[in-house]
Tab-separated table of all heavy atoms in Angstrom:
chain	number	residue	atom	x	y	z
X	593	CYS	N	48.984	138.247	131.697
X	593	CYS	CA	49.756	138.090	132.938
X	593	CYS	C	51.248	138.045	132.624
X	593	CYS	O	52.049	138.683	133.306
X	593	CYS	CB	49.354	136.798	133.658
X	593	CYS	SG	47.643	136.773	134.181
X	594	ASP	N	51.611	137.299	131.565
X	594	ASP	CA	53.024	137.201	131.186
X	594	ASP	C	53.618	138.581	130.904
X	594	ASP	O	54.806	138.824	131.131
X	594	ASP	CB	53.197	136.356	129.913
X	594	ASP	CG	52.650	134.944	130.041
X	594	ASP	OD1	52.456	134.494	131.178
X	594	ASP	OD2	52.414	134.301	129.000
X	595	MET	N	52.764	139.465	130.344
X	595	MET	CA	53.253	140.752	129.852
X	595	MET	C	53.345	141.817	130.929
X	595	MET	O	53.434	143.004	130.632
X	595	MET	CB	52.337	141.253	128.718
X	595	MET	CG	52.395	140.428	127.453
X	595	MET	SD	54.047	140.418	126.730
X	595	MET	CE	54.602	138.802	127.110
X	596	GLY	N	53.266	141.414	132.181
X	596	GLY	CA	53.457	142.395	133.246
X	596	GLY	C	52.234	143.242	133.536
X	596	GLY	O	52.357	144.424	133.845
X	597	SER	N	51.060	142.627	133.444
X	597	SER	CA	49.848	143.407	133.707
X	597	SER	C	49.525	143.552	135.181
X	597	SER	O	48.613	144.282	135.531
X	597	SER	CB	48.649	142.747	133.017
X	597	SER	OG	48.796	142.811	131.628
X	598	PHE	N	50.219	142.828	136.036
X	598	PHE	CA	49.908	142.936	137.459
X	598	PHE	C	50.686	144.094	138.079
X	598	PHE	O	51.819	144.374	137.679
X	598	PHE	CB	50.254	141.640	138.189
X	598	PHE	CG	49.287	140.519	137.915
X	598	PHE	CD1	49.744	139.227	137.696
X	598	PHE	CD2	47.919	140.750	137.877
X	598	PHE	CE1	48.847	138.187	137.445
X	598	PHE	CE2	47.028	139.719	137.632
X	598	PHE	CZ	47.500	138.428	137.424
X	599	PRO	N	50.064	144.744	139.054
X	599	PRO	CA	50.689	145.956	139.604
X	599	PRO	C	51.993	145.695	140.353
X	599	PRO	O	52.746	146.626	140.594
X	599	PRO	CB	49.620	146.499	140.552
X	599	PRO	CG	48.707	145.366	140.837
X	599	PRO	CD	48.752	144.485	139.635
X	600	HIS	N	52.238	144.450	140.693
X	600	HIS	CA	53.453	144.185	141.474
X	600	HIS	C	54.564	143.570	140.644
X	600	HIS	O	55.637	143.323	141.165
X	600	HIS	CB	53.129	143.271	142.658
X	600	HIS	CG	52.698	141.895	142.239
X	600	HIS	ND1	51.417	141.605	141.843
X	600	HIS	CD2	53.384	140.744	142.128
X	600	HIS	CE1	51.332	140.323	141.519
X	600	HIS	NE2	52.512	139.782	141.673
X	601	GLU	N	54.304	143.294	139.367
X	601	GLU	CA	55.387	142.646	138.634
X	601	GLU	C	55.524	143.090	137.178
X	601	GLU	O	54.560	143.393	136.495
X	601	GLU	CB	55.290	141.122	138.725
X	601	GLU	CG	54.039	140.539	138.170
X	601	GLU	CD	53.804	139.092	138.608
X	601	GLU	OE1	54.529	138.580	139.478
X	601	GLU	OE2	52.885	138.484	138.063
X	602	LEU	N	56.758	143.098	136.730
X	602	LEU	CA	57.103	143.464	135.362
X	602	LEU	C	56.966	142.222	134.483
X	602	LEU	O	56.804	141.110	134.985
X	602	LEU	CB	58.531	144.015	135.340
X	602	LEU	CG	58.636	145.428	135.924
X	602	LEU	CD1	60.053	145.739	136.385
X	602	LEU	CD2	58.163	146.469	134.907
X	603	PRO	N	57.015	142.382	133.154
X	603	PRO	CA	56.877	141.221	132.267
X	603	PRO	C	57.774	140.067	132.702
X	603	PRO	O	58.922	140.263	133.114
X	603	PRO	CB	57.285	141.786	130.908
X	603	PRO	CG	56.864	143.220	130.961
X	603	PRO	CD	57.125	143.643	132.385
X	604	GLY	N	57.228	138.851	132.580
X	604	GLY	CA	57.988	137.673	132.970
X	604	GLY	C	57.922	137.401	134.465
X	604	GLY	O	58.774	136.702	134.998
X	605	TYR	N	56.901	137.954	135.140
X	605	TYR	CA	56.652	137.649	136.566
X	605	TYR	C	57.816	138.024	137.473
X	605	TYR	O	58.207	137.267	138.345
X	605	TYR	CB	56.291	136.158	136.739
X	605	TYR	CG	55.118	135.760	135.896
X	605	TYR	CD1	55.293	135.132	134.665
X	605	TYR	CD2	53.823	136.062	136.305
X	605	TYR	CE1	54.211	134.814	133.873
X	605	TYR	CE2	52.739	135.742	135.515
X	605	TYR	CZ	52.939	135.119	134.301
X	605	TYR	OH	51.871	134.815	133.512
X	606	ARG	N	58.404	139.186	137.232
X	606	ARG	CA	59.509	139.618	138.081
X	606	ARG	C	59.042	140.790	138.934
X	606	ARG	O	58.522	141.779	138.399
X	606	ARG	CB	60.717	139.976	137.208
X	606	ARG	CG	61.310	138.703	136.557
X	606	ARG	CD	62.254	139.042	135.429
X	606	ARG	NE	61.563	139.655	134.295
X	606	ARG	CZ	62.184	140.218	133.270
X	606	ARG	NH1	63.503	140.273	133.247
X	606	ARG	NH2	61.488	140.733	132.273
X	607	HIS	N	59.233	140.660	140.223
X	607	HIS	CA	58.655	141.645	141.139
X	607	HIS	C	59.252	143.031	140.915
X	607	HIS	O	60.440	143.183	140.654
X	607	HIS	CB	58.841	141.211	142.600
X	607	HIS	CG	57.884	141.906	143.520
X	607	HIS	ND1	58.180	143.094	144.128
X	607	HIS	CD2	56.619	141.593	143.895
X	607	HIS	CE1	57.130	143.486	144.859
X	607	HIS	NE2	56.175	142.582	144.729
X	608	ILE	N	58.382	144.014	141.039
X	608	ILE	CA	58.744	145.399	140.762
X	608	ILE	C	59.825	145.903	141.722
X	608	ILE	O	60.532	146.865	141.427
X	608	ILE	CB	57.468	146.277	140.832
X	608	ILE	CG1	57.687	147.673	140.278
X	608	ILE	CG2	56.887	146.340	142.237
X	608	ILE	CD1	57.673	147.748	138.792
X	609	SER	N	59.965	145.221	142.861
X	609	SER	CA	60.973	145.674	143.815
X	609	SER	C	62.369	145.146	143.465
X	609	SER	O	63.346	145.515	144.090
X	609	SER	CB	60.596	145.215	145.234
X	609	SER	OG	60.618	143.808	145.283
X	610	ASP	N	62.421	144.268	142.439
X	610	ASP	CA	63.721	143.704	142.069
X	610	ASP	C	64.525	144.710	141.242
X	610	ASP	O	64.136	145.070	140.120
X	610	ASP	CB	63.498	142.409	141.273
X	610	ASP	CG	64.820	141.781	140.858
X	610	ASP	OD1	65.622	141.481	141.749
X	610	ASP	OD2	65.042	141.617	139.635
X	611	ASP	N	65.643	145.154	141.811
X	611	ASP	CA	66.398	146.241	141.176
X	611	ASP	C	66.906	145.873	139.787
X	611	ASP	O	66.842	146.678	138.856
X	611	ASP	CB	67.587	146.636	142.067
X	611	ASP	CG	67.108	147.265	143.375
X	611	ASP	OD1	65.941	147.723	143.409
X	611	ASP	OD2	67.881	147.275	144.346
X	612	ALA	N	67.384	144.636	139.639
X	612	ALA	CA	67.967	144.242	138.356
X	612	ALA	C	66.912	144.279	137.252
X	612	ALA	O	67.164	144.738	136.129
X	612	ALA	CB	68.573	142.852	138.471
X	613	THR	N	65.720	143.792	137.569
X	613	THR	CA	64.647	143.785	136.568
X	613	THR	C	64.249	145.209	136.198
X	613	THR	O	64.087	145.543	135.023
X	613	THR	CB	63.420	143.036	137.122
X	613	THR	OG1	63.829	141.758	137.577
X	613	THR	CG2	62.360	142.875	136.058
X	614	ARG	N	64.076	146.022	137.239
X	614	ARG	CA	63.690	147.411	136.949
X	614	ARG	C	64.744	148.079	136.077
X	614	ARG	O	64.437	148.811	135.147
X	614	ARG	CB	63.506	148.204	138.247
X	614	ARG	CG	62.087	148.188	138.766
X	614	ARG	CD	61.772	149.328	139.717
X	614	ARG	NE	62.893	149.842	140.465
X	614	ARG	CZ	63.432	149.251	141.521
X	614	ARG	NH1	62.921	148.117	141.967
X	614	ARG	NH2	64.466	149.779	142.150
X	615	GLU	N	65.990	147.761	136.384
X	615	GLU	CA	67.078	148.378	135.629
X	615	GLU	C	67.007	148.016	134.141
X	615	GLU	O	67.222	148.850	133.265
X	615	GLU	CB	68.414	147.937	136.230
X	615	GLU	CG	69.563	148.839	135.845
X	615	GLU	CD	70.862	148.362	136.497
X	615	GLU	OE1	70.823	148.048	137.711
X	615	GLU	OE2	71.862	148.285	135.785
X	616	THR	N	66.668	146.747	133.853
X	616	THR	CA	66.525	146.320	132.462
X	616	THR	C	65.551	147.231	131.724
X	616	THR	O	65.821	147.718	130.619
X	616	THR	CB	65.972	144.872	132.404
X	616	THR	OG1	66.834	144.037	133.161
X	616	THR	CG2	65.857	144.372	130.982
X	617	PHE	N	64.393	147.457	132.365
X	617	PHE	CA	63.365	148.251	131.695
X	617	PHE	C	63.684	149.747	131.751
X	617	PHE	O	63.354	150.481	130.815
X	617	PHE	CB	61.988	147.956	132.307
X	617	PHE	CG	61.479	146.601	131.928
X	617	PHE	CD1	61.682	145.507	132.761
X	617	PHE	CD2	60.830	146.398	130.720
X	617	PHE	CE1	61.237	144.251	132.410
X	617	PHE	CE2	60.383	145.145	130.347
X	617	PHE	CZ	60.587	144.060	131.195
X	618	GLU	N	64.317	150.175	132.813
X	618	GLU	CA	64.669	151.596	132.896
X	618	GLU	C	65.626	151.968	131.776
X	618	GLU	O	65.494	153.006	131.133
X	618	GLU	CB	65.274	151.904	134.277
X	618	GLU	CG	64.211	151.919	135.361
X	618	GLU	CD	64.769	152.094	136.761
X	618	GLU	OE1	65.987	151.899	136.951
X	618	GLU	OE2	63.984	152.411	137.671
X	619	LYS	N	66.583	151.070	131.505
X	619	LYS	CA	67.538	151.332	130.417
X	619	LYS	C	66.819	151.350	129.082
X	619	LYS	O	67.025	152.218	128.234
X	619	LYS	CB	68.618	150.250	130.407
X	619	LYS	CG	69.748	150.552	131.369
X	619	LYS	CD	70.951	149.675	131.069
X	619	LYS	CE	72.040	149.912	132.115
X	619	LYS	NZ	72.681	148.666	132.514
X	620	LEU	N	65.936	150.352	128.890
X	620	LEU	CA	65.225	150.188	127.626
X	620	LEU	C	64.266	151.351	127.385
X	620	LEU	O	64.108	151.834	126.273
X	620	LEU	CB	64.456	148.872	127.689
X	620	LEU	CG	64.102	148.158	126.403
X	620	LEU	CD1	65.331	147.836	125.587
X	620	LEU	CD2	63.351	146.879	126.760
X	621	TRP	N	63.620	151.810	128.444
X	621	TRP	CA	62.569	152.810	128.291
X	621	TRP	C	63.044	154.231	128.617
X	621	TRP	O	62.315	155.194	128.391
X	621	TRP	CB	61.371	152.475	129.202
X	621	TRP	CG	60.702	151.168	128.843
X	621	TRP	CD1	60.866	150.442	127.696
X	621	TRP	CD2	59.758	150.432	129.645
X	621	TRP	NE1	60.088	149.305	127.731
X	621	TRP	CE2	59.406	149.280	128.924
X	621	TRP	CE3	59.185	150.636	130.903
X	621	TRP	CZ2	58.497	148.333	129.405
X	621	TRP	CZ3	58.282	149.706	131.384
X	621	TRP	CH2	57.944	148.563	130.644
X	622	GLY	N	64.212	154.341	129.185
X	622	GLY	CA	64.727	155.671	129.491
X	622	GLY	C	63.953	156.395	130.578
X	622	GLY	O	63.785	157.610	130.523
X	623	VAL	N	63.439	155.679	131.546
X	623	VAL	CA	62.715	156.307	132.660
X	623	VAL	C	63.162	155.645	133.954
X	623	VAL	O	63.774	154.582	133.926
X	623	VAL	CB	61.189	156.100	132.556
X	623	VAL	CG1	60.609	156.847	131.393
X	623	VAL	CG2	60.850	154.610	132.475
X	624	SER	N	62.829	156.268	135.075
X	624	SER	CA	63.018	155.542	136.329
X	624	SER	C	61.668	154.986	136.740
X	624	SER	O	60.639	155.642	136.600
X	624	SER	CB	63.588	156.466	137.404
X	624	SER	OG	62.648	157.474	137.681
X	625	LEU	N	61.667	153.757	137.204
X	625	LEU	CA	60.414	153.085	137.536
X	625	LEU	C	60.201	153.072	139.045
X	625	LEU	O	61.153	152.932	139.817
X	625	LEU	CB	60.429	151.648	137.004
X	625	LEU	CG	60.473	151.503	135.482
X	625	LEU	CD1	60.657	150.038	135.094
X	625	LEU	CD2	59.198	152.055	134.851
X	626	ASN	N	58.946	153.211	139.421
X	626	ASN	CA	58.549	153.160	140.819
X	626	ASN	C	58.744	151.732	141.342
X	626	ASN	O	58.332	150.778	140.696
X	626	ASN	CB	57.067	153.565	140.870
X	626	ASN	CG	56.547	153.740	142.274
X	626	ASN	OD1	57.045	153.120	143.204
X	626	ASN	ND2	55.546	154.587	142.409
X	627	ASN	N	59.361	151.589	142.496
X	627	ASN	CA	59.640	150.233	142.994
X	627	ASN	C	58.566	149.697	143.934
X	627	ASN	O	58.735	148.638	144.531
X	627	ASN	CB	61.013	150.186	143.681
X	627	ASN	CG	61.035	151.033	144.942
X	627	ASN	OD1	60.072	151.752	145.223
X	627	ASN	ND2	62.114	150.952	145.690
X	628	GLU	N	57.477	150.438	144.091
X	628	GLU	CA	56.383	149.992	144.969
X	628	GLU	C	55.270	149.369	144.125
X	628	GLU	O	54.969	149.852	143.036
X	628	GLU	CB	55.797	151.193	145.723
X	628	GLU	CG	56.664	151.695	146.848
X	628	GLU	CD	56.470	150.869	148.129
X	628	GLU	OE1	55.900	149.756	148.063
X	628	GLU	OE2	56.903	151.353	149.188
X	629	PRO	N	54.615	148.320	144.631
X	629	PRO	CA	53.486	147.764	143.877
X	629	PRO	C	52.375	148.792	143.731
X	629	PRO	O	52.194	149.644	144.604
X	629	PRO	CB	53.024	146.583	144.735
X	629	PRO	CG	53.547	146.857	146.107
X	629	PRO	CD	54.818	147.637	145.912
X	630	GLY	N	51.645	148.699	142.631
X	630	GLY	CA	50.522	149.618	142.425
X	630	GLY	C	49.223	149.010	142.920
X	630	GLY	O	49.204	147.991	143.613
X	631	LEU	N	48.120	149.671	142.554
X	631	LEU	CA	46.795	149.240	143.004
X	631	LEU	C	46.245	148.137	142.107
X	631	LEU	O	46.395	148.189	140.888
X	631	LEU	CB	45.821	150.429	142.978
X	631	LEU	CG	46.093	151.577	143.944
X	631	LEU	CD1	45.231	152.787	143.560
X	631	LEU	CD2	45.807	151.151	145.379
X	632	ARG	N	45.583	147.168	142.739
X	632	ARG	CA	44.855	146.158	141.978
X	632	ARG	C	43.454	146.695	141.690
X	632	ARG	O	43.052	147.693	142.293
X	632	ARG	CB	44.792	144.877	142.803
X	632	ARG	CG	46.182	144.366	143.132
X	632	ARG	CD	46.180	143.212	144.118
X	632	ARG	NE	45.909	143.666	145.472
X	632	ARG	CZ	46.181	142.941	146.573
X	632	ARG	NH1	46.718	141.746	146.466
X	632	ARG	NH2	45.898	143.394	147.774
X	633	ILE	N	42.712	146.062	140.772
X	633	ILE	CA	41.418	146.630	140.351
X	633	ILE	C	40.522	146.966	141.555
X	633	ILE	O	40.046	148.094	141.676
X	633	ILE	CB	40.675	145.720	139.351
X	633	ILE	CG1	41.462	145.607	138.043
X	633	ILE	CG2	39.278	146.266	139.042
X	633	ILE	CD1	40.917	144.584	137.062
X	634	PRO	N	40.296	146.011	142.465
X	634	PRO	CA	39.400	146.366	143.588
X	634	PRO	C	39.972	147.497	144.449
X	634	PRO	O	39.213	148.329	144.954
X	634	PRO	CB	39.280	145.075	144.400
X	634	PRO	CG	40.141	144.069	143.760
X	634	PRO	CD	40.721	144.608	142.512
X	635	ASN	N	41.310	147.542	144.563
X	635	ASN	CA	41.931	148.620	145.337
X	635	ASN	C	41.766	149.960	144.626
X	635	ASN	O	41.590	150.994	145.267
X	635	ASN	CB	43.415	148.358	145.579
X	635	ASN	CG	43.722	146.948	146.034
X	635	ASN	OD1	44.700	146.355	145.613
X	635	ASN	ND2	42.867	146.386	146.875
X	636	MET	N	41.841	149.925	143.272
X	636	MET	CA	41.625	151.170	142.512
X	636	MET	C	40.227	151.708	142.806
X	636	MET	O	40.036	152.909	143.017
X	636	MET	CB	41.740	150.918	141.008
X	636	MET	CG	43.136	150.603	140.492
X	636	MET	SD	43.069	150.371	138.694
X	636	MET	CE	44.592	149.472	138.422
X	637	LEU	N	39.254	150.789	142.816
X	637	LEU	CA	37.877	151.231	143.037
X	637	LEU	C	37.707	151.750	144.466
X	637	LEU	O	37.033	152.770	144.682
X	637	LEU	CB	36.908	150.082	142.746
X	637	LEU	CG	36.903	149.664	141.271
X	637	LEU	CD1	36.224	148.314	141.089
X	637	LEU	CD2	36.214	150.728	140.417
X	638	ASP	N	38.332	151.081	145.426
X	638	ASP	CA	38.283	151.572	146.808
X	638	ASP	C	38.896	152.965	146.885
X	638	ASP	O	38.334	153.873	147.502
X	638	ASP	CB	39.065	150.635	147.751
X	638	ASP	CG	38.380	149.283	147.917
X	638	ASP	OD1	37.200	149.170	147.539
X	638	ASP	OD2	39.033	148.349	148.414
X	639	ALA	N	40.058	153.115	146.229
X	639	ALA	CA	40.750	154.409	146.278
X	639	ALA	C	39.926	155.483	145.577
X	639	ALA	O	39.938	156.650	145.982
X	639	ALA	CB	42.132	154.286	145.642
X	640	ALA	N	39.201	155.088	144.542
X	640	ALA	CA	38.364	156.061	143.829
X	640	ALA	C	37.246	156.549	144.731
X	640	ALA	O	36.987	157.751	144.822
X	640	ALA	CB	37.790	155.430	142.566
Side-chain angles (χ1 to χ4, degrees):
Chain X
C593 297
D594 302 342
M595 292 299 106
S597 294
F598 286 138
H600 66 278
E601 60 196 9
L602 286 158
Y605 304 98
R606 291 165 293 170
H607 200 270
I608 192 78
S609 64
D610 180 58
D611 293 340
T613 307
R614 268 201 332 283
E615 199 179 315
T616 304
F617 288 95
E618 286 175 344
K619 275 195 184 139
L620 205 58
W621 296 346
V623 292
S624 64
L625 295 173
N626 188 332
N627 66 353
E628 285 278 15
L631 294 167
R632 301 172 285 198
I633 295 172
N635 314 140
M636 290 181 199
L637 294 165
D638 291 346

